[in-house]
Amino acid sequence: MKASQLLLTVDLRAAGESMHAFATELYPTCRSITGDGLRTTLKRIGRQIPLEIQEVATGTTVFDWSVPREWNIRDAWIKNSRGEKVVDFQKSNLHVVQYSVPVQRRISLDELKTHLYSLPDRPDWIPYRTSYYQETWGFCLTHRQLEKLEPGEYEVKIDSTLAEGSLSYGEHFLRGRTADEVLLSCHVCHPSLANDNLSGVALSVKLAEILGGCSLKYSYRFLFIPGTIGSITWLARNSERARQIQHGLVVTCVGDSGGLHYKRSRRGDAEIDRAVIKALRDRRQPLEVRDFSPYGYDERQYCSPGFNLPVGSLTRSPHGTFAQYHTSADNLDFIRPEALSDSLAAYLAVISVLEGNSRYQNLNPWCEPQLGRRGLYRALGGFADAGQMELAFLWVLNLSDATHSLLDIAERADLPFELIEQAAETLVAHGLLEERLV
Ligand code: ZN
């Protein structure tokens, strides 16, 4: 099957349900940038699609960084003077500040409060906090829980280990007809957070499954990595291979009911930037486009000046702009099957444009060929809009001088990419056009 037929063949509704079910399965696991929760998640992804899991030892130098110690947690709680658990890690893995060092001691309320984090504005939500690079410990709780704490002595316990180990990440590779690659990267390091983390994981897995059944021009590399340190580690170990990346997207926050947003690559006008905009405008999917900024997810690393890869990010509500961001309210109700399937459709549409965007040579460039004689003029049957198709023929013939791509033509003609692609295929079939393989 060709990638351009993807949208016609995928059952989007069923895909939305299955992505939500996959996120639901992964939701309870306490993931972090290293450790067993991350490994369990990668293994689960590996049951869905072939996944090469890499382990990079603690202390490995990756550019200006080094792979941190591995963090694992088994249990944590705060007990009041009556021995009642007032905060319990078993009820929510967001209750512990990630990378908390082990602790077990008695503590006064005043001192305890210096280790507690809540959201006074959202008194029923638990915040998500991390302290990867500063040794400390802490608990996150709802503001209501915090306000209920009575003066007195408390016992705190965090049964964690921070020790030499490794950082894990997973890679799934689909070989296409060319060695040129499309990168799809998602972070997989957040604990029970649905939109910021699991929605991107579920969509990437689904996309890999779908593309696995297609005949592809590009090779596709899917990365399931811990945020920031994972992409830095991958780039440090693959700086040569990274040159193969022709187009890329960071996949995250694709499950909420907000509208689609595209953050351009640092280059700003890379083919991926244009393909996303054209594909979604053609589908009349509302899209807000933002310029690159060195803040957000792993596009910061892919677009660092040494690499400057053409990698953008297609999301629904962007990073940090929704109230539920990095709180317990980013849960399985916050992501919806319909939103996941709408995002999947957007990704498939973009991939269809990338896959179909070739350059052609007009084999009859001295004045227009006679379309009528070939049955390509007016009397066209089988095309939804014969007038539009005729216009598409003329544009493709005129601009197919081996330098303009079909995307160039579709943008300039202001016609749907699919129509331009269909026109090119028809002209090839009539011997008027030839694909130029660069
Ligand atoms: Zn996050």
Side-chain angles (χ1 to χ4, degrees):
M1 185 180 50
K2 282 183 58 176
S4 56
Q5 292 158 336
L6 282 172
L7 272 162
L8 303 172
T9 52
V10 174
D11 180 346
L12 287 170
R13 215 185 67 82
E17 296 291 342
S18 101
M19 285 185 279
H20 196 275
F22 193 62
T24 304
E25 212 186 306
L26 296 179
Y27 185 73
T29 305
C30 184
R31 281 162 292 272
S32 187
I33 55 171
T34 62
D36 288 334
L38 174 59
R39 266 183 213 109
T40 308
T41 303
L42 293 174
K43 278 186 198 142
R44 179 62 192 88
I45 295 168
R47 294 216 304 274
Q48 217 71 23
I49 51 173
L51 197 69
E52 206 172 299
I53 298 176
Q54 308 283 349
E55 297 283 349
V56 186
T58 299
T60 305
T61 300
V62 285
F63 297 120
D64 200 39
W65 299 58
S66 79
V67 171
R69 284 181 292 169
E70 184 178 322
W71 186 67
N72 282 290
I73 180 157
R74 290 158 290 277
D75 201 6
W77 41 254
I78 303 172
K79 283 181 183 172
N80 63 19
S81 56
R82 293 184 295 279
E84 297 158 342
K85 282 186 188 171
V86 289
V87 175
D88 186 358
F89 173 76
Q90 302 302 335
K91 289 191 178 154
S92 168
N93 55 36
L94 299 179
H95 276 317
V96 172
V97 172
Q98 290 231 324
Y99 262 69
S100 281
V101 294
V103 59
Q104 179 158 24
R105 52 181 283 220
R106 293 189 175 278
I107 189 170
S108 70
L109 179 60
D110 282 347
E111 194 190 346
L112 176 61
K113 277 188 173 168
T114 65
H115 292 276
L116 299 182
Y117 304 90
S118 70
L119 299 167
D121 296 351
R122 306 277 180 182
D124 294 311
W125 296 357
I126 308 166
Y128 162 61
R129 293 273 186 282
T130 64
S131 184
Y132 302 133
Y133 302 103
Q134 198 186 351
E135 237 176 72
T136 182
W137 63 268
F139 284 88
C140 301
L141 67 175
T142 69
H143 199 64
R144 287 195 208 287
Q145 275 177 307
L146 179 72
E147 283 184 317
K148 269 196 236 153
L149 297 178
E150 299 157 357
E153 203 181 47
Y154 286 82
E155 188 184 354
V156 292
K157 176 167 174 144
I158 297 179
D159 178 13
S160 65
T161 42
L162 191 53
E164 300 282 304
S166 58
L167 172 145
S168 326
Y169 66 83
E171 258 184 293
H172 171 74
F173 186 68
L174 282 173
R175 193 170 300 285
R177 291 191 293 283
T178 70
D180 289 345
E181 292 183 12
V182 177
L183 173 75
L184 292 147
S185 173
C186 65
H187 64 281
V188 65
C189 54
H190 289 19
S192 296
L193 293 173
N195 198 37
D196 176 12
N197 191 166
L198 294 179
S199 68
V201 176
L203 191 143
S204 297
V205 168
K206 182 58 73 184
L207 206 51
E209 287 176 329
I210 294 169
L211 293 181
C214 291
S215 153
L216 299 165
K217 174 169 81 174
Y218 288 109
S219 296
Y220 286 76
R221 187 173 299 279
F222 289 81
L223 296 183
F224 299 88
I225 50 174
T228 306
I229 190 66
S231 50
I232 293 172
T233 301
W234 188 86
L235 286 164
R237 303 175 94 210
N238 297 279
S239 46
E240 280 304 307
R241 185 177 290 167
R243 293 174 204 267
Q244 298 285 101
I245 296 168
Q246 303 299 310
H247 320 285
L249 290 171
V250 168
V251 192
T252 183
C253 298
V254 287
D256 65 278
S257 45
L260 287 165
H261 283 74
Y262 178 65
K263 176 178 169 181
R264 291 179 187 270
S265 71
R266 179 179 181 272
R267 299 185 190 183
D269 62 348
E271 190 175 329
I272 184 67
D273 301 317
R274 295 166 50 209
V276 170
I277 294 164
K278 184 67 180 143
L280 299 191
R281 291 205 173 137
D282 283 355
R283 279 176 61 74
R284 304 200 198 301
Q285 259 176 300
L287 176 72
E288 202 178 300
V289 180
R290 297 183 167 199
D291 283 334
F292 175 79
S293 71
Y295 188 64
Y297 294 105
D298 289 306
E299 66 277 8
R300 293 157 63 169
Q301 315 310 330
Y302 302 124
C303 296
S304 57
F307 287 101
N308 196 21
L309 295 175
V311 176
S313 183
L314 180 55
T315 65
R316 303 198 76 84
S317 296
H319 171 260
T321 62
F322 47 98
Q324 295 84 349
Y325 175 77
H326 280 190
T327 76
S328 55
D330 182 1
N331 58 25
L332 292 167
D333 293 329
F334 185 58
I335 59 169
R336 304 306 315 147
E338 319 76 76
L340 287 164
S341 81
D342 186 65
S343 302
L344 177 68
Y347 273 82
L348 290 172
V350 172
I351 287 170
S352 296
V353 170
L354 294 176
E355 286 281 322
N357 189 26
S358 298
R359 286 181 168 73
Y360 291 84
Q361 177 74 52
N362 180 344
L363 300 176
N364 195 107
W366 297 279
C367 302
E368 287 174 3
Q370 212 184 336
L371 296 180
R373 183 157 59 79
R374 296 174 170 89
L376 296 173
Y377 186 68
R378 297 278 176 202
L380 293 164
F383 296 116
D385 185 336
Q388 289 277 91
M389 183 50 94
E390 187 190 310
L391 202 53
F393 284 140
L394 296 176
W395 273 108
V396 171
L397 285 166
N398 187 279
L399 290 178
S400 286
D401 50 8
T403 63
H404 294 92
S405 69
L406 294 188
L407 182 56
D408 295 331
I409 301 171
E411 284 176 340
R412 188 149 159 196
D414 196 19
L415 288 170
F417 181 84
E418 214 180 328
L419 188 77
I420 292 291
E421 191 185 9
Q422 207 180 353
E425 280 168 9
T426 307
L427 292 169
V428 168
H430 282 82
L432 290 171
L433 213 62
E434 189 176 75
E435 190 174 355
R436 275 294 137 97
L437 301 167
V438 225

